Structures are given as C-alpha cells and as structure tokens.
C-alpha cells in the first residue's frame, strides 16, 4: 500500500510557546511525546485520520533565515469571520507578512517565530473542512510534484496545471495538499516539512525503497524513521507504519 500524509513537522526555537500559539489558532489540543516536542491535534482526534493533518513542533537551535517553502492556509467562512480571525491572530502574536505577494485576496501573516501562513477568503471548497484549508508547498514544477506525490501517497490528484497541483485524501476529507509554482530556489533545509506514514502491516524498508524508485532520495540520518527528499529536494519523513 502507499503512504498517507499524517502531519507536518515544524522546527521551533521554543516548541512549547509556539505550540501554545498554534493550539489557540486552531482550537486544537496540546500534548508532548518528550522534551523538545509539542504535538497538536483536534480534540477527540483518533490518530491517524485524514480529517486532519496534525502538527508536530520540534525544538531546533537553527534560526529561520529564509521564507519557508511549506506553510498552512487557514479557512474562513465569511468576510466577517476572516476579519475576526485576522484580528484574533494579531492579538495572539501574529504579524502581517510581505513575501512579495502583491495584491492578493488572502492575508499573509507570520507566527511569533516568523513562520509564514495565509488566511484565505471564504470558499465553498473549504466549507466544513476544519481550521486548516490546505498545506502548501512551493515548487518549480507542479506537474512533476503531482506525478511523484500522487504515486507516493494514496491521496487523489484533483487538479494539475502549470501553476499548481492539488491533492486530497482519497476519502475526500480533510485539508488539501497544494504544490504551487514559485520562482524561489530552495537554499536551506526546510524548517517545515511533510511527514507521511505507511499503513499497519506495511514494511518500512519496502516503502522507502518504493519511494526511491519513484524519484525520492534517501538522507542518511540515525533515526528510527526514514528521511528522504522528493525530486525537488524537499525533505520529508517516512514514519513507522501505524
């Protein structure tokens, strides 16, 4: 079987403080699997479930130096709700951000550690989707990303153009995964990356080998999971089956 997207991993100078911020933003519960790690998931969530892509915040001494290539888009239900969300985000410590977006219908912001994210205008696509509308990845070639990730995971490729590729869980629930064309080159290790997980009973080594035949590259790190990069060099983790 293929893998599925279960969470994003976000490096943080202070995982506890940043986790508290995002928990307030999303209305999610906070837990920890150990020192330096803060886990966020919806209340009553049974992991893993495609209705949500969870967030793991992991402490890191490395400072943020460039725009993240992975970010989340937050959903809103009306113009009034969007204004309310933006105001609440500012009260929590978020700030407006300029990443060269120009005049766009969404609002670009940064969390207290400078991680960019967007607050979207209301859309029928995001009705009843939860607080996260999409996980967005910058890329050079959306069509190539659709080919790789469409085979690497059991998510369905819903749209592919020269500008973006859109995937979603095969169960048609939860946030979208969007690969958006950008002229920015990848220069450093991604501070935010995707974590995918095989299904129970699958073999971790076999899944890692399959991903490499699809175009992934293994990264040699001494951890119990597998670290790889996709065909554009974006790091991601292949977690143990569950």
């Amino acid at each position: 079987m293929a893998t599925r997207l279960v969470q994003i991993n976000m490096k943080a100078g202070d995982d506890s403080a940043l986790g508290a911020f995002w928990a307030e933003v999303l209305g999610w519960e906070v837990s920890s699997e150990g020192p330096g790690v803060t886990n966020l998931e919806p209340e009553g969530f049974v992991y893993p479930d495609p209705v949500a892509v969870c967030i793991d915040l992991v402490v890191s001494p490395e400072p943020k130096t460039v725009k993240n290539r992975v970010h989340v888009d937050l959903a809103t239900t009306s113009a009034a709700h969007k204004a309310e969300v933006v105001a609440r985000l500012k009260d929590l410590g978020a700030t407006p951000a300029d990443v060269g977006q120009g005049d766009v219908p969404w609002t670009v912001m940064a969390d207290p550690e400078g991680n960019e994210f967007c607050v979207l205008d209301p859309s029928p696509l995001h009705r009843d989707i939860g607080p996260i509308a999409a996980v967005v990845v910058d890329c050079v070639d959306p069509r190539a990303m659709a080919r790789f990730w469409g085979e690497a995971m059991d998510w369905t490729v819903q749209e592919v153009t020269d500008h973006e590729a859109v995937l979603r869980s095969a169960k048609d629930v939860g946030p979208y995964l969007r690969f958006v064309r950008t002229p920015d080159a990848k220069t450093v290790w991604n501070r935010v990356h995707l974590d995918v997980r095989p299904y129970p009973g699958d073999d971790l080594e076999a899944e890692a080998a399959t991903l490499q035949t699809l175009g992934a590259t293994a990264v040699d790190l001494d951890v119990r999971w597998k670290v790889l990069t996709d065909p554009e060099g974006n790091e991601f983790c292949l977690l143990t089956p569950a």
Side-chain angles (χ1 to χ4, degrees):
M1 296 180 70
T3 67
R4 73 277 204 208
L5 178 61
V6 292
Q7 63 206 31
I8 61 172
N9 182 295
M10 183 183 298
K11 299 299 184 284
D14 185 335
D15 64 287
S16 179
L18 194 60
F21 167 84
W22 280 105
E24 286 289 336
V25 170
L26 302 173
W28 285 6
E29 294 184 329
V30 180
S31 61
S32 177
E33 61 193 68
V37 180
T38 298
N39 311 106
L40 305 180
E41 60 184 37
E43 183 178 357
F45 183 75
V46 179
Y47 178 94
D49 188 317
V51 297
V53 172
C54 301
I55 300 178
D56 277 5
L57 299 106
V58 179
V59 72
S60 171
E62 298 295 328
K64 182 179 184 296
T65 58
V66 299
K67 173 183 173 288
N68 289 338
R69 295 186 70 78
V70 181
H71 72 265
V72 297
D73 282 352
L74 301 183
T76 63
T77 58
S78 66
H81 181 232
K82 181 185 177 185
E84 176 188 324
V85 168
V86 170
R88 187 168 68 88
L89 286 164
K90 291 179 180 178
D91 288 341
L92 291 172
T95 54
D98 185 351
V99 293
Q101 69 269 20
D103 185 16
V104 293
W106 55 87
T107 300
V108 183
M109 306 190 77
D111 71 17
E113 290 201 7
N115 299 298
E116 303 86 4
F117 64 95
C118 297
V119 183
L120 302 182
D121 277 2
S123 167
L125 281 176
H126 305 144
R127 187 174 295 123
D128 301 323
I129 202 171
I132 297 179
V135 177
V136 183
V137 183
D138 291 352
C139 71
V140 174
D141 186 345
R143 295 185 184 277
M145 290 294 94
R147 285 192 295 272
F148 173 77
W149 286 101
E151 294 188 67
M153 302 193 301
D154 65 357
W155 282 33
T156 302
V157 178
Q158 296 200 337
E159 179 185 356
V160 183
T161 68
D162 290 338
H163 175 67
E164 71 172 357
V166 181
L167 292 80
R168 197 183 191 194
S169 164
K171 295 183 178 179
D172 206 29
V173 296
Y176 294 87
L177 176 62
R178 298 177 58 228
F179 293 91
V180 178
R181 190 183 192 102
T182 173
D184 302 328
K186 183 179 184 295
T187 57
V188 299
W189 185 279
N190 288 345
R191 287 182 65 82
V192 184
H193 69 252
L194 309 180
D195 282 352
V196 301
R197 189 180 289 275
Y199 285 85
D202 288 349
D203 182 82
L204 182 65
E205 296 292 342
E207 291 298 331
T210 297
L211 290 169
Q212 290 177 73
T213 65
L214 295 175
T217 301
V219 178
D220 186 14
L221 291 177
D222 185 19
V223 291
R224 65 180 182 276
W225 55 89
K226 300 292 184 180
V227 181
L228 303 103
T229 60
D230 72 13
E232 290 200 2
N234 297 299
E235 300 84 10
F236 67 97
C237 290
L238 175 68
L239 307 179
T240 53

